Amino acid sequence: MVRGGERRRTQECDAELGAAVERAQQGDEDGFAAAYRLVHPGLLGYVRGLVGEDAEDVTSEAWLEIARDLGRFRGDGAGFRGWTATIARHRALDHLRKLKRRPRTSMLEQDVLELPAGRDTADDALEALSTGQALEMIATLPREQAEAVLLRVVVGLDGPAAARVLGKRSGSVRTSAYRGLKRLAEQLAPDGGRTGAVTSAAPRTLKDET
């Protein structure tokens, strides 16, 4: 369950984003810059979780498509986050297919969100880590859990929006996200084997879907 303060902050941010997108669609360059500022950090983190060191290039390609098709978007700030995440995910999958790269270990699949109560321990702990450390820890999760957590924690999508990005039912993504955050909480516990786990983790990429 999302706490009241966090829910209000998310709503305020999405309202600001929605207003910026509306201005951008009217040709306001400052509006587009504001939308970029609000969305880009989470989008880049999500793509980095999918493709590793190629994230900057792939995210740039996604933004080119976002800018090109901006006039077609219909929705509010929360919807815009989901729309941009869908575009970025498609670009990441295309990138991996072109490279025909096999990941060192399997990472992500297609499950996400709408977290149940009791997520605070893992969520708060991840927020205390640097982005790089958090991504490396998420990369150690089973493939059906990692992308669920990325979309929830890094992109900031709610359950239904994340489920739409991945084309899954809410029940499936809710379970995946819950299990992933529970596992992260166990790793972050004092006796959970956290020592050395992050520094030894190698960058991983999304398994090619064919």
Side-chain angles (χ1 to χ4, degrees):
M1 180 179 296
V2 178
R3 291 160 289 185
E6 182 180 344
R7 185 184 298 277
R8 285 192 296 273
R9 287 193 298 272
T10 298
Q11 290 174 342
E12 291 170 359
C13 184
D14 284 342
E16 180 183 358
L17 176 58
V21 170
E22 185 175 350
R23 296 199 311 273
Q25 289 179 315
Q26 296 171 356
D28 185 344
E29 293 183 2
D30 290 339
F32 186 84
Y36 178 90
R37 173 178 55 82
L38 291 167
V39 171
H40 181 70
L43 199 65
L44 178 61
Y46 175 51
V47 175
R48 182 171 288 119
L50 302 182
V51 304
E53 63 185 10
D54 296 328
E56 293 279 358
D57 291 340
V58 173
T59 307
S60 294
E61 292 177 3
W63 275 109
L64 289 174
E65 183 173 344
I66 291 165
R68 184 194 69 198
D69 295 341
L70 183 62
R72 302 178 184 177
F73 171 73
R74 297 292 182 272
D76 57 9
F80 186 74
R81 288 186 192 278
W83 183 66
T84 58
T86 299
I87 291 173
R89 188 173 192 272
H90 290 165
R91 296 289 69 73
L93 292 174
D94 288 346
H95 176 75
L96 293 173
R97 289 187 183 109
K98 288 177 183 177
L99 293 177
K100 299 187 183 300
R101 176 188 300 167
R102 292 187 62 83
R104 293 172 188 143
T105 61
S106 60
M107 179 180 171
L108 309 177
E109 203 182 45
Q110 296 170 262
D111 295 329
V112 189
L113 274 285
E114 202 158 34
L115 300 177
R119 69 178 182 85
D120 293 8
T121 299
D123 212 21
D124 291 344
L126 282 172
E127 289 173 2
L129 294 171
S130 70
T131 300
Q133 287 176 316
L135 289 175
E136 287 176 345
M137 290 194 68
I138 292 169
T140 68
L141 293 173
R143 51 185 297 190
E144 71 276 4
Q145 298 170 15
E147 193 171 4
V149 176
L150 279 171
L151 285 171
R152 173 62 184 89
V153 177
V154 180
V155 181
L157 297 184
D158 64 11
R164 286 193 294 270
V165 169
L166 299 173
K168 292 281 186 174
R169 292 179 296 182
S170 294
S172 173
V173 299
R174 179 171 58 245
T175 299
S176 296
Y178 172 74
R179 289 176 177 171
L181 287 175
K182 181 179 179 182
R183 181 170 296 204
L184 290 174
E186 293 170 351
Q187 292 179 15
L188 289 163
D191 60 348
R194 166 86 171 81
T195 304
V198 170
T199 56
S200 63
R204 292 175 172 83
T205 58
L206 175 65
K207 184 174 181 180
D208 187 14
E209 296 183 4
T210 57

